[in-house]
C-alpha cells in the first residue's frame, strides 16, 4: 500500500483524543460533566477533539470466580465503573452535541459491536491489546479508521499490526506511548516519534502521553517532530473525588491546546515544499544587500564585464531604490549615461534585461532605501 488517501488521513490530522476512560466512576452525571467541561474548552480553543470512552462487556469480561473480588484493582475498578448501554447512549449524544467526535476503546469483541451501534467514526486499540489478534481482527472487520497506542509493543508487534491494516487498506494512526502512569519527563522518549515516522511513513504518527509536570513542553517538541494526533486522560475536580496525577483538568487542557496553536505558528505549517517568503522578510534582507557604486568617472558606451566591474566599481551598503546590487551580474551591457565616482549605479544607467523587463525593473525600483 502506497499510503492512505489524504481524505482518510484528515480524520487523524491535528486530532486531540480526550480519554475519559473510567473517570465517570459509573455515574452518568459525572461523565456528562466531564464531557461538557472539556468539550467547552476544546470548542473555545478551536481544536478538533474526540472524547473517548472505554467499553467492556463487564458480565463476560471478568471470570465468574473473580466477580466481586476487591483485592485485584483492575477487577474492582471495572465493576465499580460499569455503565448501562442507555448511560453510554446519553454520553455519546452529549459528545456529539458539543461538537466533539465520539470515540471508544473496546476491550472485547462485544464492545466492538457497541462501537458500531454508536457509529463511532474512530476506534482505538489500547497498548495492552497489541497482541490480542481476536480483538484486532474484530476491530478491522468494521473497517473504521483506527488509532493504535504502541506502549510496550516490540518492533515485530508494530510491523505485524501495520502490515495487517495496510493489507486491508484501513486507515491507521500510530501513537507513541509510554505505559507509565504517570510518566516522568525523562521517561517520555519523544525521539520515538522520529523512529515511528521513519519506519511507517505512510501513517499519521501521534503521541499518547501521561506526563504531569507541564502541558506545553511535550506539545511543542512532539509537533516539531511531526506528531499530528495527541491523547491525554481527562478528569475534573468534582464531588471530592481524587484526580489521578496523569489526568488533565480542563484548565490544563486549555494550556495544552494553546501550546498546539503556538507550535503551529512557530513551525509555519509547510513541511513538504519551500515556504513562501513574506514581503516583510524580503524587505529586511534587501536592507542588508550591498549596492554597486562607481570607483571613478565613467562615460557612456562603457562595456561591463566581470573583470571590468571588479576594477571600476565597488559594493557597499546601503542599497537604494533603483540601484543595482551584488545580485545582478553584468556582462556585455553598456553604460547609457555618464556616472561619477562614488555615485550609485542604477537601473537607468545601463541597457539590457534589468531595464527592459518590466517585472524585474519594478522589483529593483522598489527595494532598498
Amino acid at each position: 500500500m502506497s499510503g492512505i488517501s489524504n481524505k482518510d488521513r484528515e480524520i487523524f490530522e491535528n486530532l486531540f483524543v480526550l480519554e475519559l476512560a473510567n473517570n465517570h466512576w459509573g455515574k452518568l452525571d459525572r461523565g456528562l460533566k466531564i464531557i461538557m467541561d472539556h468539550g467547552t474548552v476544546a470548542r473555545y480553543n478551536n481544536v478538533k477533539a474526540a472524547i473517548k470512552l472505554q467499553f467492556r462487556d463487564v458480565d463476560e469480561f471478568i471470570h465468574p470466580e473473580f466477580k466481586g473480588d476487591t483485592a485485584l484493582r483492575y477487577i474492582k475498578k471495572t465493576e465499580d465503573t460499569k455503565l448501562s448501554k442507555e448511560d453510554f447512549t446519553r454520553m455519546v449524544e452529549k459528545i456529539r452535541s458539543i461538537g466533539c467526535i465520539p470515540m471508544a476503546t473496546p476491550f472485547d469483541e462485544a464492545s466492538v459491536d457497541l462501537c458500531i451501534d454508536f457509529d463511532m467514526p474512530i476506534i482505538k486499540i489500547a497498548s495492552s491489546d497489541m497482541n490480542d489478534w481476536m480483538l484486532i481482527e474484530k476491530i478491522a472487520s468494521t473497517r473504521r479508521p483506527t488509532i493504535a497506542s504502541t506502549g510496550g509493543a516490540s518492533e515485530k508487534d508494530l510491523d505485524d499490526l501495520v502490515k495487517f491494516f495496510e493489507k486491508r487498506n484501513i486507515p491507521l494512526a500510530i501513537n507513541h506511548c509510554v505505559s507509565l502512569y504517570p510518566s516522568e519527563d525523562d521517561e517520555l522518549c519523544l525521539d520515538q516519534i522520529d523512529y515511528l515516522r521513519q519506519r511507517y511513513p505512510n501513517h499519521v504518527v501521534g503521541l499518547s502521553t501521561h506526563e504531569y509536570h507541564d502541558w506545553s513542553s511535550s506539545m511543542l517538541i512532539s509537533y516539531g517532530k511531526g506528531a499530528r494526533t495527541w491523547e491525554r486522560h481527562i478528569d475534573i475536580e468534582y464531588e471530592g473525588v481524587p484526580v489521578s496525577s496523569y489526568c488533565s483538568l480542563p484548565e490544563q487542557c486549555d494550556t495544552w491546546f494553546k501550546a498546539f496553536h503556538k507550535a503551529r505558528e512557530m513551525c509555519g505549517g509547510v513541511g513538504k515544499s519551500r515556504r513562501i517568503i513574506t514581503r516583510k522578510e524580503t524587505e529586511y534582507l534587501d536592507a542588508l544587500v550591498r549596492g554597486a557604486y562607481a570607483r571613478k568617472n565613467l562615460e557612456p558606451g562603457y562595456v561591463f564585464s566581470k573583470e571590468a566591474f571588479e576594477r571600476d566599481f565597488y559594493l557597499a551598503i546601503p542599497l537604494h531604490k533603483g540601484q543595482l546590487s551584488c545580485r545582478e551580474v553584468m556582462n556585455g551591457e553598456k553604460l547609457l549615461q555618464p556616472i561619477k565616482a562614488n555615485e550609485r549605479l542604477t537601473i537607468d544607467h545601463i541597457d539590457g534585461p534589468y531595464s527592459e523587463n518590466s517585472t524585474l525593473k519594478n522589483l529593483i525600483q522598489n527595494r532598498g532605501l
Side-chain angles (χ1 to χ4, degrees), residues 61-86:
F61 193 72
I62 301 170
H63 189 280
E65 293 181 7
F66 287 86
K67 288 181 180 179
D69 191 320
T70 59
L72 297 176
R73 181 179 177 275
Y74 188 28
I75 290 177
K76 184 178 188 304
K77 188 172 183 179
T78 298
E79 291 185 326
D80 287 347
T81 57
K82 180 180 179 181
L83 284 174
S84 67
K85 183 177 180 179
E86 290 72 25

Side-chain angles (χ1 to χ4, degrees), residues 222-276:
S222 65
Y223 187 94
K225 284 181 172 292
R228 287 299 179 268
T229 182
W230 296 268
E231 181 176 358
R232 278 184 183 265
H233 287 250
I234 58 171
D235 203 350
I236 55 174
E237 291 179 330
Y238 184 62
E239 296 182 334
V241 177
V243 176
S244 297
S245 58
Y246 61 84
C247 291
S248 298
L249 300 172
E251 59 268 26
Q252 293 165 333
C253 282
D254 180 67
T255 300
W256 191 38
F257 297 148
K258 285 179 170 57
F260 162 72
H261 287 303
K262 176 57 69 175
R264 292 187 74 189
E265 175 188 339
M266 295 178 78
C267 288
V270 181
K272 295 184 179 179
S273 62
R274 182 59 179 153
R275 66 187 175 91
I276 296 173

Side-chain angles (χ1 to χ4, degrees), residues 129-146:
D129 292 326
M130 284 290 290
N131 283 307
D132 190 336
W133 282 97
M134 288 185 63
L135 179 58
I136 291 169
E137 289 179 2
K138 179 72 173 183
I139 290 171
S141 72
T142 71
R143 303 202 59 78
R144 306 282 169 123
T146 302

Side-chain angles (χ1 to χ4, degrees), residues 35-94:
I35 292 167
M36 187 64 192
D37 289 359
H38 281 273
T40 298
V41 171
R43 183 173 67 251
Y44 279 106
N45 279 280
N46 195 30
V47 296
K48 179 170 67 174
I51 296 181
K52 183 164 71 69
L53 307 171
Q54 291 186 354
F55 290 161
R56 296 173 181 82
D57 181 9
V58 177
D59 292 337
E60 295 292 328
F61 193 72
I62 301 170
H63 189 280
E65 293 181 7
F66 287 86
K67 288 181 180 179
D69 191 320
T70 59
L72 297 176
R73 181 179 177 275
Y74 188 28
I75 290 177
K76 184 178 188 304
K77 188 172 183 179
T78 298
E79 291 185 326
D80 287 347
T81 57
K82 180 180 179 181
L83 284 174
S84 67
K85 183 177 180 179
E86 290 72 25
D87 290 338
F88 279 126
T89 299
R90 289 278 306 281
M91 293 172 72
V92 171
E93 289 172 349
K94 188 66 173 178

Side-chain angles (χ1 to χ4, degrees), residues 127 150-152 175-183 187-190 192 207-210:
S127 296
T150 57
N175 276 355
H176 164 55
C177 175
V178 175
S179 298
L180 295 174
Y181 302 81
S183 301
E187 295 172 329
L188 296 182
C189 298
L190 294 181
Q192 284 291 286
L207 172 65
S208 179
T209 181
H210 313 111

